Amino acid sequence: MKIGIVTFPGSNCDHDVYHVVKHSMGAPAEYVWHKDRLPAGLDAVILPGGFSYGDYLRCGALARFSPVMEDVVAFAKSGGPVVGICNGFQILCESGLLPGVLMRNASLKFICRDVTLRVEGAETPLTRGLAGATLTMPVAHAEGNYFADAATLDRLEGEGDVVFRYVGGAPNGAARDIAGIAGGPRRNVVGLMPHPERAAEAILGRDDGRRLFESLLA
């Protein structure tokens, strides 16, 4: 299974994701520059964390216009698995592939610490066999406060598209403690604020994040 990892100006977790997929998991991985098109033969696409375009205007608001996003949207709409981590989640919302928006943290402070998530909702490419599991991994963001109107939140809950929820309350003020959601024609588009790639090897102190990559690569 070959993974494409999109690099935008300001991405800073693309190498972390590449390392986990390529060197830790032993799967083929390829960087994709934001000005290029998606290469043929990819089985999944990851939009990594960082500060694309310096977070000007809003996080992810400029990255959505990168040439590669035209292909990412088409790939997602055809059912291809697309995962957005932190800034990648923000880009997926800005591009319309996922509903809602990530606002400034309620505290107005950058948050960097471990959080525990509960896997909920319907199964996605990232959560196969993990229903009900609790996973601990870090967050590192200033804009992770997920917001959507009440009708959208009710729809997400009702259709099983809330796939990660903070245990013990959202550290950033996110609506209904939502840490990650799914969308797309087959729940093939998943966005989450925590960083599984930073908790994917024992040497990092935690490897709960590895379970998400194992699911994606299964």
Side-chain angles (χ1 to χ4, degrees):
M1 187 162 187
K2 188 173 184 179
I3 308 295
I5 301 162
V6 179
T7 299
F8 300 93
S11 294
N12 64 8
C13 298
D14 45 341
H15 287 265
D16 297 352
V17 171
Y18 182 91
H19 168 73
V20 171
V21 173
K22 178 80 172 181
H23 301 298
S24 182
M25 308 295 293
E30 180 175 347
Y31 294 113
V32 183
W33 182 235
H34 76 114
K35 286 187 176 180
D36 295 336
R37 312 303 298 232
L38 280 186
L42 294 179
D43 298 297
V45 174
I46 297 178
L47 308 186
F51 304 91
S52 59
Y53 292 91
D55 284 348
Y56 287 119
L57 299 181
R58 294 185 309 277
C59 301
L62 295 181
R64 64 164 293 194
F65 294 107
S66 285
V68 73
M69 287 305 297
E70 183 179 343
D71 286 353
V72 171
V73 169
F75 184 78
K77 289 184 175 179
S78 72
V82 176
V83 177
I85 301 170
C86 195
N87 188 223
F89 184 14
Q90 295 160 343
I91 295 168
L92 291 177
C93 289
E94 291 289 339
S95 65
L97 286 174
L98 291 175
V101 67
L102 282 307
M103 303 192 306
R104 292 290 303 275
N105 295 339
S107 65
L108 302 182
K109 295 180 179 178
F110 190 94
I111 298 172
C112 182
R113 67 176 176 86
D114 283 345
V115 297
T116 297
L117 315 173
R118 183 172 55 250
V119 179
E120 299 186 357
E123 198 166 79
T124 74
L126 204 59
T127 59
R128 282 187 275 253
L130 294 175
T134 56
L135 308 170
T136 299
M137 60 190 73
V139 292
H141 59 248
E143 289 89 6
N145 182 359
Y146 181 74
F147 175 83
D149 60 48
T152 299
L153 292 172
D154 288 344
R155 179 179 60 78
L156 289 170
E157 301 265 19
E159 295 180 356
D161 288 339
V162 175
V163 292
F164 298 106
R165 200 183 308 266
Y166 296 105
V167 175
N172 44 32
R176 303 187 189 181
D177 299 332
I178 290 173
I181 60 173
R186 303 172 191 164
R187 292 191 180 84
N188 52 297
V189 181
V190 181
L192 73 164
M193 287 311 298
H195 286 267
E197 78 280 10
R198 297 185 186 179
E201 296 176 281
I203 196 172
L204 298 176
R206 298 188 186 280
D207 59 4
D208 283 2
R210 184 181 184 89
R211 301 175 71 181
L212 302 186
F213 287 99
E214 288 173 343
S215 171
L216 181 64
L217 295 170

